[in-house]
């Protein structure tokens, strides 16, 4: 199949972009050859041996046609993903804020496409749904009184909605919008698109009542009641929760930044069934959401939200920074609470203590990928236009 010496470059993640080519969009069919760096540029040129078309390895990524150094673009985007604002990032790297904004928009689009491509048919046992206001940290530091915050929350569109698998810490969905039924529907819909079709996890939420309707919409079915008598009108069918659906609300009462009480309400299923799922992690319903509070992600998202809400004006900028953060969090950031012990202690060079932990990202724990992705690698990933066959 190949002539001449074997090429060093890995073309296995690339695909031919030519619409007229039979191999267009297919990954791993061996139709691509590396062809060196045209005019001494930083990127390799690839050749599709089927249609004889040449293209750059950056085609379709945000690096395509950009004159700025790759490392600069990557570091600017890393700063945005860490929650630093557009203006702050622009000052640090001495780049025009409009350029930073443009890179943010491009990177968000790329990471969103990447997440859509990789996050599908996920199997989880639990989903925790949470809305978090971007102003939350202002409340925490006492800059904004809680009562005023709640007043503003009701009018403001700046709720950050998250859905997470507490076991792998995988962020299934992140979105921004009002605290309304429509948003609850949208977030639950997003979660169902990421989960495998046969996966009906245990749902835990706070006391926000609209979750009930949203969950019932997606995890309900028509039930024909038993016909009581031989004669008379047939009783009407009713929309009921699926038999396996488990849903509980955990309601925290916080007074002066102290957690004073945790109550729970079993909405669908039984307390026994719910505690059986939680017991796999040594949790109980009363403590399940406390686990969640301690996650660094919460502060991280708040930082992202706070920055963009003030600096980017309008929720579109926030949505982009959250999309960026979504991919960065799931694939790039090893999570301390899900790290895996190494079987053998690896001595480190020098006098440091032995390394005992293998870094694990939420996507690795969830079995979606086998390594920690770098932001650069993710930004360079050309998302194929359609799903690839398994093992292809
Ligand atoms: Zn081709």
């Amino acid at each position: 199949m190949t002539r001449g010496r074997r090429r060093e470059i890995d073309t296995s993640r690339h695909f031919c972009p030519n619409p007229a080519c039979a191999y267009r969009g297919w990954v791993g069919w061996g139709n691509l050859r590396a062809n060196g760096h045209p005019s001494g540029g930083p990127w390799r040129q690839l050749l599709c041996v089927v249609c004889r078309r040449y293209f750059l390895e950056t085609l379709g990524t945000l690096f395509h046609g950009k004159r700025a150094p790759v490392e600069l673009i990557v570091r600017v985007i890393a700063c945005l993903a860490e929650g630093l604002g557009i203006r702050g990032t622009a000052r640090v790297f001495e780049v025009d804020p409009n350029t930073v904004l443009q890179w943010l928009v491009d990177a968000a689009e790329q990471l969103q496409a990447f997440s859509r491509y990789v996050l599908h048919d996920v199997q989880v046992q639990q989903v925790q749904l949470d809305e978090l206001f971007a102003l939350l940290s202002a409340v925490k530091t006492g800059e904004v009184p809680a009562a005023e915050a709640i007043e503003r929350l009701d009018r403001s569109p700046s709720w950050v909605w998250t859905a997470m698998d507490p076991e792998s810490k995988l962020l299934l969905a992140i979105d921004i919008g009002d605290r309304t039924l429509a948003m609850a529907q949208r977030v639950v819909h997003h979660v169902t698109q990421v989960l495998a079709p046969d996966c009906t996890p245990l749902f835990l939420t706070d006391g926000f009542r609209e979750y009930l309707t949203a969950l019932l919409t997606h995890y309900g079915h028509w039930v024909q009641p038993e016909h009581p008598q031989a004669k008379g009108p047939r009783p009407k069918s009713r929309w009921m929760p699926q038999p396996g659906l488990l849903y509980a609300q955990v309601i925290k009462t916080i007074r002066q930044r102290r957690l004073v009480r945790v109550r729970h309400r079993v909405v669908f299923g039984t307390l026994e069934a719910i505690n059986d799922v939680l017991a796999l992690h040594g949790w109980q319903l009363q403590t399940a959401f406390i686990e969640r509070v301690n996650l660094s992600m919460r502060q991280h998202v708040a930082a992202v939200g706070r920055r963009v809400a003030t600096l980017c004006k309008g929720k579109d900028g926030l949505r982009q920074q959250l999309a960026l953060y979504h991919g960065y969090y799931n694939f790039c950031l090893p999570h301390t609470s899900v790290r895996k012990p190494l079987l053998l202690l690896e001595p480190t060079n020098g006098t440091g203590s032995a390394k005992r932990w293998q870094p694990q990202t939420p996507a690795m724990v969830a079995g979606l990928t086998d390594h920690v992705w770098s932001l650069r690698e993710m930004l360079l990933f050309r998302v194929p236009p359609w799903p690839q066959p398994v093992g292809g």
Side-chain angles (χ1 to χ4, degrees):
M1 195 166 68
T2 52
R3 285 181 294 127
R5 69 183 175 88
R6 259 189 78 128
R7 308 285 180 173
E8 296 287 321
I9 173 180
D10 176 22
T11 58
S12 63
R13 278 181 185 165
H14 286 275
F15 54 87
C16 176
N18 177 10
C21 177
Y23 282 66
R24 183 207 164 206
W26 294 108
V27 172
W29 287 88
N31 57 314
L32 300 176
R33 299 283 170 273
N35 198 48
H37 299 244
S39 21
W43 303 114
R44 294 181 191 88
Q45 192 181 47
L46 302 175
L47 164 70
C48 174
V49 295
V50 176
C51 66
R52 309 303 301 175
R53 193 65 79 83
Y54 291 93
F55 62 97
L56 280 179
E57 64 180 326
T58 52
L59 185 70
T61 74
L62 83 154
F63 299 108
H64 198 64
K66 294 256 194 319
R67 284 204 201 127
V70 178
E71 283 318 308
L72 175 66
I73 299 179
V74 170
R75 285 163 74 184
V76 161
I77 291 162
C79 253
L80 293 169
E82 285 285 348
L84 188 63
I86 290 172
R87 283 173 207 282
T89 306
R91 277 193 298 271
V92 169
F93 293 99
E94 298 176 356
V95 177
D96 184 61
N98 291 314
T99 307
V100 174
L101 178 65
Q102 193 51 53
W103 293 350
L104 167 62
V105 171
D106 288 351
E109 210 169 273
Q110 161 70 8
L111 263 58
Q112 221 160 14
F114 180 86
S115 290
R116 262 200 300 271
Y117 186 69
V118 183
L119 280 184
H120 59 85
D121 293 286
V122 177
Q123 289 281 359
V124 297
Q125 281 169 326
Q126 288 181 58
V127 173
Q128 294 190 352
L129 293 160
D130 198 7
E131 333 91 58
L132 171 78
F133 186 59
L135 266 187
L136 214 63
S137 40
V139 176
K140 204 174 160 192
T141 55
E143 288 167 46
V144 177
E148 190 199 320
I150 290 160
E151 176 79 17
R152 281 161 70 183
L153 300 182
D154 285 342
R155 287 181 279 114
S156 165
S158 298
W159 284 91
V160 177
W161 294 68
T162 58
M164 165 179 280
D165 165 23
E167 191 184 353
S168 65
K169 314 295 180 200
L170 189 73
L171 196 50
L172 301 166
I174 187 164
D175 208 339
I176 171 169
D178 310 326
R179 199 167 190 247
T180 58
L181 172 61
M183 269 306 296
Q185 296 272 32
R186 194 160 107 178
V187 172
V188 171
H189 181 69
H190 192 158
V191 170
T192 57
Q193 295 212 302
V194 169
L195 297 182
D198 61 339
C199 176
T200 306
L202 158 65
F203 284 93
L204 294 176
T205 74
D206 60 18
F208 183 51
R209 54 186 304 135
E210 308 292 10
Y211 282 125
L212 190 154
T213 314
L215 287 171
L216 196 54
T217 306
H218 286 83
Y219 291 96
H221 63 163
W222 288 109
V223 174
Q224 177 73 54
E226 297 278 321
H227 205 171
Q229 303 115 359
K231 284 187 279 181
R234 273 168 66 88
K236 278 190 181 147
S237 298
R238 294 180 64 195
W239 186 258
M240 302 284 283
Q242 286 170 13
L245 182 63
L246 300 176
Y247 170 40
Q249 296 180 338
V250 180
I251 302 147
K252 289 180 306 225
T253 311
I254 295 167
R255 229 167 264 145
Q256 291 173 341
R257 294 166 53 194
R258 287 241 169 77
L259 185 66
V260 288
R261 193 156 65 118
V262 180
R263 284 175 300 139
H264 64 259
R265 187 188 300 146
V266 174
V267 184
F268 299 129
T270 63
L271 181 61
E272 291 71 40
I274 289 168
N275 273 332
D276 280 351
V277 176
L278 291 169
L280 297 170
H281 311 287
W283 298 341
Q284 290 179 324
L285 190 46
Q286 286 84 345
T287 58
F289 253 74
I290 316 289
E291 299 285 332
R292 176 77 172 70
V293 174
N294 297 326
L295 291 180
S296 69
M297 194 211 78
R298 204 179 168 95
Q299 285 117 38
H300 222 113
V301 169
V304 170
R306 189 179 64 243
R307 296 288 179 189
V308 190
T310 52
L311 294 171
C312 209
K313 285 195 191 105
K315 54 185 173 178
D316 281 348
L318 181 50
R319 186 163 286 144
Q320 273 135 1
Q321 206 161 355
L322 287 175
L324 189 61
Y325 181 70
H326 189 190
Y328 181 66
Y329 168 87
N330 278 340
F331 294 92
C332 304
L333 289 182
H335 207 293
T336 48
S337 67
V338 292
R339 60 191 178 173
K340 195 164 111 183
L342 286 173
L343 291 178
L344 293 168
L345 297 189
E346 283 178 19
T348 53
N349 295 327
T351 54
S353 60
K355 191 172 123 194
R356 266 166 299 171
W357 302 98
Q358 182 192 346
Q360 292 267 93
T361 61
M364 287 164 74
V365 181
L368 299 171
T369 178
D370 59 0
H371 69 286
V372 179
W373 285 68
S374 73
L375 199 52
R376 178 193 161 105
E377 186 185 8
M378 221 167 25
L379 292 169
L380 269 171
F381 185 86
R382 294 175 64 227
V383 180
W386 37 68
Q388 305 293 314
V390 177

